[in-house]
């Protein structure tokens, strides 16, 4: 039997859960479809579930562990009556009114839920190298966010993998902490903008390993080194490092909405300036799924709050 809801929030990172806190307090009885664990790097709670210590989320003087922070967000939303379904949306129909969402069999005739309004907070994921030890050491020396984790690598040697603007930006940022930053790039020229290339190449702490790929990450409980392979002659060597920052791009989780919500070429959802409104009336988007610029937990939470307020006003305007 199809269940009807005022608001369904898809996604349970800082954006989705902040939207849940606000819509629950507005007595809209939100349902959060929070996802389900499908691998270590794909879990309800979003990217903070893959982080160890978070020191830049305001309000925690001594920092807080990423998963603990997300547990607190979730508990706070539940306290005000938000409900949770631990599953993934398999299909969504945003053409109909109310909107229709399926869990499980996407071909089922009846949707699992109907909703007057939908908040999309499905986030983004960092592209990873796909090495077995990369996943195991994520949060223990392997990181995808220099702004979040750079501070933990004071006076230590680190590598940044990638050759785009993100990699060079991360590398430059990390020079504030690390004693050396090695950029590992698989080709012999960067993809990044010229100005970033110049800055990186001129920096005294940065060296580049061209035509190289990381084929293994070493360390029991924390990263101690990497194995590099030369893409030209196949030779391998070991580099002692304490941190591996993977900066080979991000992918927003928007496959579900293709053909319905307006997206940029890169897949990020387009929202109306200074709001969370998408191209479909009644569908709002917040957090990293529509933000490739800031990508911080606090900015995601802020836009989750905006989406909740946008939904509340939108529902009120229809009722009125
Ligand atoms: P990107 O431009 O797609 O660059 C990804 C880099 O990672 C490329 O150098 C690519 O190598 C490398 N790479 C991809 N898969 C790899 C793999 N499996 N193993 C090793 N290396 C791999 O991504 P991005 O740097 O995240 O940037 C995304 C967009 O945001 C770009 O348009 C960028 O200009 C923009 N951006 C701008 C700024 C800024 O202006 N300050 C900052 C960040 C990002 P190849 O070059 O060989 O393909």
């Amino acid at each position: 039997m199809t269940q009807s809801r005022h608001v369904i929030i898809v996604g349970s990172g800082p954006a989705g859960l902040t939207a849940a806190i606000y819509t629950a307090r507005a007595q809209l009885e939100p349902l959060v479809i929070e996802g389900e664990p499908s691998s270590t790097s794909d879990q309800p709670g979003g990217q903070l579930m893959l982080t160890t210590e978070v020191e830049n989320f305001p309000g925690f003087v001594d920092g807080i562990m990423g998963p603990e922070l997300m547990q607190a967000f979730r508990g706070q939303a539940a306290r005000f009556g938000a409900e949770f379904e631990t599953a993934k949306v398999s299909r969504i129909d945003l053409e109909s009114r109310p909107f229709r969402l399926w869990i499980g069999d996407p071909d089922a005739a009846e949707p699992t839920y109907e909703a007057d309004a939908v908040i999309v907070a499905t986030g983004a994921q960092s592209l990873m190298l796909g090495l077995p030890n990369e996943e195991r050491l994520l949060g223990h020396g392997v990181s995808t966010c220099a702004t979040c984790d750079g501070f933990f690598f004071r006076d230590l040697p680190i590598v940044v993998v990638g050759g785009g603007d993100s990699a060079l930006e991360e590398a430059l940022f990390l020079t504030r902490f690390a004693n050396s930053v090695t950029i590992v790039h698989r080709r012999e020229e960067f993809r990044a903008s010229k100005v970033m290339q110049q800055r990186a190449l001129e920096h005294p702490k940065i060296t580049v390993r061209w035509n190289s790929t990381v084929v293994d990450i070493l360390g029991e409980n924390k990263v101690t080194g990497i194995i590099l392979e030369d893409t030209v002659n196949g030779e391998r060597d070991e580099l002692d490092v304490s941190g591996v920052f993977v900066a080979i791009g991000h992918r927003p989780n928007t496959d579900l909405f293709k053909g319905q919500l307006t997206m940029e070429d890169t897949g990020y959802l387009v929202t109306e300036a200074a709001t969370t409104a998408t191209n479909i009336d009644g569908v709002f988007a917040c957090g990293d799924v529509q933000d490739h610029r800031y990508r911080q937990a606090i900015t995601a939470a802020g836009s989750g709050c905006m989406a909740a307020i946008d939904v509340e006003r939108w529902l009120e305007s229809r009722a009125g």
Side-chain angles (χ1 to χ4, degrees):
M1 257 267 290
T2 303
Q3 268 192 49
S4 293
R5 317 286 308 206
H6 293 302
V7 184
I8 290 185
I9 299 165
V10 188
S12 59
L17 293 178
T18 302
I21 293 167
Y22 273 76
T23 48
R25 293 191 78 253
Q27 301 193 324
L28 293 172
E29 299 163 342
L31 172 72
V32 181
I33 302 180
E34 64 177 345
E36 63 189 338
S38 57
S39 71
T40 316
S41 53
D42 181 13
Q43 309 223 6
Q47 296 175 69
L48 280 192
M49 299 300 287
L50 314 176
T51 321
T52 44
E53 200 156 4
V54 179
E55 287 190 329
N56 56 7
F57 199 89
F60 298 92
V61 177
D62 300 316
I64 182 168
M65 299 304 274
E68 199 186 324
L69 179 60
M70 293 326 297
Q71 198 54 43
F73 267 68
R74 194 180 187 280
Q76 193 175 350
R79 183 180 146 221
F80 293 111
E83 288 176 45
F84 293 86
E85 161 116 33
T86 309
K88 284 191 170 171
V89 176
S90 54
R91 179 180 157 202
I92 191 161
D93 174 7
L94 301 174
E95 310 285 310
S96 60
R97 292 287 185 285
F99 304 121
R100 304 191 301 159
L101 298 93
W102 282 257
I103 305 282
D105 181 6
D107 298 321
E110 293 298 317
T112 320
Y113 294 104
E114 287 181 347
D116 298 325
V118 169
I119 295 178
V120 177
T122 47
Q125 37 189 299
S126 301
L127 298 177
M128 302 301 289
L129 299 168
L131 304 169
N133 286 335
E134 176 188 43
E135 185 154 336
R136 185 174 61 78
L137 291 166
L138 196 59
H140 302 278
V142 176
S143 170
T144 56
C145 177
T147 320
C148 318
D149 299 331
F151 190 77
F152 302 116
F153 296 89
R154 272 176 186 276
D155 299 323
L156 294 170
I158 60 170
V159 294
V160 174
V161 187
D165 279 317
S166 293
L168 270 49
E169 195 172 74
E170 302 267 271
L172 284 160
F173 178 77
L174 288 164
T175 58
R176 299 179 196 188
F177 312 102
N179 62 14
S180 73
V181 178
T182 307
I183 300 174
V184 176
H185 184 39
R186 63 185 178 182
R187 292 188 295 133
E188 60 188 1
E189 65 178 338
F190 285 134
R191 175 180 296 277
S193 54
K194 289 283 178 269
V195 59
M196 293 296 281
Q197 295 196 29
Q198 191 183 355
R199 268 184 225 159
L201 292 170
E202 283 176 358
H203 199 287
K205 278 192 185 174
I206 295 180
T207 51
V208 184
R209 288 288 298 258
W210 303 105
N211 295 319
S212 297
T213 53
V214 178
V215 291
D216 201 1
I217 301 174
L218 310 173
E220 274 304 311
N221 303 317
K222 59 182 179 131
V223 170
T224 56
I226 55 170
I227 307 282
L228 284 172
E229 186 174 284
D230 188 306
T231 57
V232 180
N233 60 23
E235 274 177 21
R236 292 188 171 195
D237 67 328
E238 192 176 323
L239 191 66
D240 291 341
V241 292
S242 304
V244 178
F245 285 79
V246 181
I248 59 173
H250 287 83
R251 201 174 76 86
N253 300 315
T254 51
D255 287 353
L256 195 62
F257 311 103
K258 278 196 177 128
Q260 302 190 74
L261 294 180
T262 304
M263 304 177 184
E264 294 174 12
D265 292 346
T266 47
Y268 284 89
L269 298 185
V270 174
T271 48
E272 206 174 282
T275 78
T276 60
T278 67
N279 58 304
I280 296 184
D281 210 24
V283 180
F284 301 84
C286 54
D288 285 14
V289 75
Q290 51 83 61
D291 169 26
H292 46 75
R293 187 181 175 94
Y294 301 106
R295 292 199 291 242
Q296 300 301 302
I298 188 69
T299 51
S303 79
C305 162
M306 289 163 63
I309 292 173
D310 286 342
V311 159
E312 198 184 336
R313 293 191 179 155
W314 184 79
L315 288 170
E316 261 170 23
S317 71
R318 285 172 83 230

